[in-house]
Amino acid sequence: MGTRVTFMPAGKVIDVTRPTTILAAARQAGVAVRTRCGGKAGCLLCKVNVSGDAHAVTAPTPPEVRKMGMEETLGARLACQVRLSGRTGSVTVEVPEDPLKALVRRKLEEQRGEDALW
Ligand code: FES
């Protein structure tokens, strides 16, 4: 069965049977995760929030610990560094909204609110 990964807020679900990074699994599921460094723990743009079964994900890598200053398996992680084990379990990955998309969405909501006044 492998590791069931749910990407939020998209709600996309994928089963991972081989060890792979969350970044690769997200791409496979069609979920956009921001990156700039090519997965080298350099840009910190791929930060996601991981919850669920701790045994289904690897412990932070030394570059991740250096960059993020943390050693917890769950919580804020770098999608390019944390690997899904592929073992039976489930994990939920919260992917933050792209800041540009969030700005456009807020502006559209404001505009809709103003249009409702007329
Ligand atoms: S892709 Fe740049 S830190 Fe993960």
Side-chain angles (χ1 to χ4, degrees):
M1 178 179 158
T3 306
R4 174 150 292 186
V5 187
T6 304
F7 290 96
M8 298 301 289
K12 292 192 176 175
V13 179
I14 187 172
D15 289 322
V16 174
T17 55
R18 294 184 193 169
T20 187
T21 63
I22 285 181
L23 184 61
R27 287 180 177 154
Q28 198 177 338
V31 174
V33 174
R34 296 173 57 213
T35 68
R36 189 175 294 154
C37 70
K40 296 185 172 84
C43 67
L44 306 184
L45 289 175
C46 67
K47 201 183 304 179
V48 295
N49 197 51
V50 180
S51 59
D53 296 327
H55 69 270
V57 294
T58 56
T61 62
E64 192 177 16
V65 171
R66 216 172 24 253
K67 291 285 187 175
M68 301 279 286
M70 42 63 86
E71 297 185 11
E72 295 84 26
T73 303
L74 300 175
R77 301 288 308 266
L78 295 178
C80 67
Q81 297 296 302
V82 61
R83 294 184 80 82
L84 299 157
S85 66
R87 296 187 346 214
T88 301
S90 68
V91 169
T92 299
V93 178
E94 283 281 341
V95 180
E97 188 175 18
D98 180 274
L100 182 59
K101 281 185 182 173
L103 177 66
V104 170
R105 185 180 45 71
R106 277 196 307 276
K107 291 292 179 191
L108 287 171
E109 286 170 2
E110 284 174 19
Q111 190 175 358
R112 272 191 218 111
E114 290 171 10
D115 289 347
L117 295 174
W118 295 95

